[in-house]
């Protein structure tokens, strides 16, 4: 059909009739006069729509498949998240078991020395307070913590409290170069002063330059006046090296501390000192020496050899 004035008028007329029918259909509702025509059209065009729907179905199925795939992906992500949560929970259980062991060991140490302690958790380490070897614990003045209280764990001496806030406190570790504690040698009672050297062994200056000391000897805290900052009897460490005595007034030894300062978690602040010096009772049991196996060699003479070991005459 050519684009003429008549064809344009016909198109406008058809559009007007269509709008009129739509208006009548909407206003008529269920009693619409065109309802019969609509049903007839559905009867005629229904099979065609069904065929078109069938033809388009694969596309719809593909979209559904993509959507299902997305749902499966979301479910997989959810399962992976649940799995990670379970692993974290298991890890937490392992950590909790470790903390229970630490707490149990610390309570036994406190009981051995008759120390009244307040348990705490390490919540921050030195980077938050500068370059010092310090940690922050989660108890403070509201818990009865004061400056210059001894801090220990199940292994031995951790340090002393230096600053106190309402809910936290800072502990100067025994490994800090500014840290000094009076020490006493096990059994011999030789006194000295131990100083921190960072990640190296503690340096101890014994007051007796001729003191008899050897590798493997053990030290505890000597204690301070009024038990501040140190209570007596807390295990310090084991002698790892002894400098040769050069006739000096003091003698230098190096001590491997019992406490691992880089892996602190549960600690205790001594809020009540023991009534009497526990001496060496808090030190751990010495390891039993491993017996050296004895090898006995038995020589069995060969069948042709003489009994007296002398060669036979030919």
């Amino acid at each position: 059909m050519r684009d003429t004035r008549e064809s344009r008028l016909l198109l406008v007329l058809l559009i007007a009739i269509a709008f009129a029918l739509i208006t009548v259909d909407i206003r008529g509702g269920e009693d619409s006069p065109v309802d019969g025509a609509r049903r007839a059209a559905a009867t005629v065009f229904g099979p065609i729509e069904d065929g078109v729907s069938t033809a388009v179905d694969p596309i719809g199925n593909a979209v559904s498949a993509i959507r299902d795939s997305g749902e499966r992906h979301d479910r997989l992500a959810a399962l992976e998240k649940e799995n990670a949560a379970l692993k974290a929970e298991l890890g937490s259980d392992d950590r909790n078991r470790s903390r229970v062991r630490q707490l149990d060991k610390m309570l036994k140490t406190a009981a051995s020395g008759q120390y009244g302690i307040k348990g705490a958790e390490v919540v921050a380490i030195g980077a938050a307070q500068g370059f010092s070897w310090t940690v922050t614990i989660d108890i403070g003045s509201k818990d009865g913590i004061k400056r210059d209280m001894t801090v220990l764990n199940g292994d031995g001496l951790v340090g002393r409290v230096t600053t106190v806030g309402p809910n936290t406190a800072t502990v100067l570790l025994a490994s800090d170069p500014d840290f000094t504690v009076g020490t006493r040698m096990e059994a011999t009672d030789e006194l000295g002063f131990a100083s921190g050297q960072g990640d190296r062994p503690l340096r101890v200056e014994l007051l007796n330059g001729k003191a008899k000391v050897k590798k493997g000897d053990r030290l505890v805290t000597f204690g301070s006046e009024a038990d501040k900052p140190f209570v007596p009897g807390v295990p310090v460490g084991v002698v790892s090296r002894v400098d040769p005595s050069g006739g000096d007034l003091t003698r230098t030894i190096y001590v491997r501390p019992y406490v691992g300062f880089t892996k602190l978690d549960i600690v205790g602040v001594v809020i009540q000192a023991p009534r009497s010096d526990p001496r060496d009772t808090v030190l751990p049991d010495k390891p039993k020496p491993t017996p050296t196996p004895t090898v006995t060699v038995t020589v069995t003479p060969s069948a042709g050899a003489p009994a007296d070991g002398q060669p036979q005459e030919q």
Side-chain angles (χ1 to χ4, degrees), residues 44-206:
V44 174
F45 294 107
I48 299 175
E49 292 175 350
D50 187 58
V52 173
S53 175
T54 302
V56 176
D57 235 4
I59 299 175
N61 291 339
V63 173
S64 298
I66 293 172
R67 182 169 58 250
D68 292 343
S69 176
E71 291 174 356
R72 286 194 295 271
H73 176 74
D74 292 342
R75 179 56 180 159
L76 179 61
L79 289 173
E80 290 177 348
K81 186 176 181 179
E82 291 175 8
N83 190 33
L86 287 173
K87 288 182 178 179
E89 186 176 348
L90 288 175
S92 177
D93 288 344
D94 290 340
R95 182 169 183 265
N96 287 337
R97 283 192 289 269
S98 173
R99 299 180 79 188
V100 167
R101 288 194 296 269
Q102 292 179 53
L103 181 60
D104 181 64
K105 189 175 182 180
M106 184 176 69
L107 291 175
K108 289 180 179 178
T109 297
S112 297
Q114 296 297 302
Y115 307 123
I117 64 171
K118 176 79 73 172
E121 180 181 357
V122 173
V123 294
I125 57 175
Q129 295 101 8
F131 297 101
S132 300
W133 284 70
T134 58
V135 296
T136 300
I137 56 177
D138 63 349
I139 55 176
S141 58
K142 291 183 178 180
D143 305 285
I145 305 305
K146 299 179 182 179
R147 179 183 171 88
D148 286 337
M149 284 184 167
T150 306
V151 182
L152 51 76
N153 67 4
D155 297 318
L157 180 67
V158 171
R160 63 180 176 87
V161 176
T162 54
T163 57
V164 182
N167 301 303
T168 61
T170 301
V171 178
L172 183 69
L173 301 181
S175 55
D176 189 275
D178 291 333
F179 185 95
T180 301
V181 58
T183 61
R184 181 178 59 77
M185 297 289 300
E186 178 188 16
T188 66
D189 291 337
E190 294 287 355
L191 303 181
F193 291 95
S195 300
Q197 297 193 111
D199 56 359
R200 294 180 295 169
L202 304 176
R203 178 188 174 96
V204 180
E205 294 291 337
L206 295 177

Side-chain angles (χ1 to χ4, degrees), residues 44 48 62 70 103 110 163 181 212 214-215 245 283 297 304:
V44 174
I48 299 175
L103 181 60
T163 57
V181 58
K212 301 292 183 181
K214 64 183 182 301
K215 183 177 179 180
S245 177
L283 283 168
V297 179

Side-chain angles (χ1 to χ4, degrees), residues 20-35 38:
L21 290 173
I22 292 172
T23 302
V24 172
D25 187 31
I26 292 174
R27 289 182 177 179
E30 294 181 355
D31 298 328
S32 171
V34 297
D35 185 57
R38 183 168 57 244

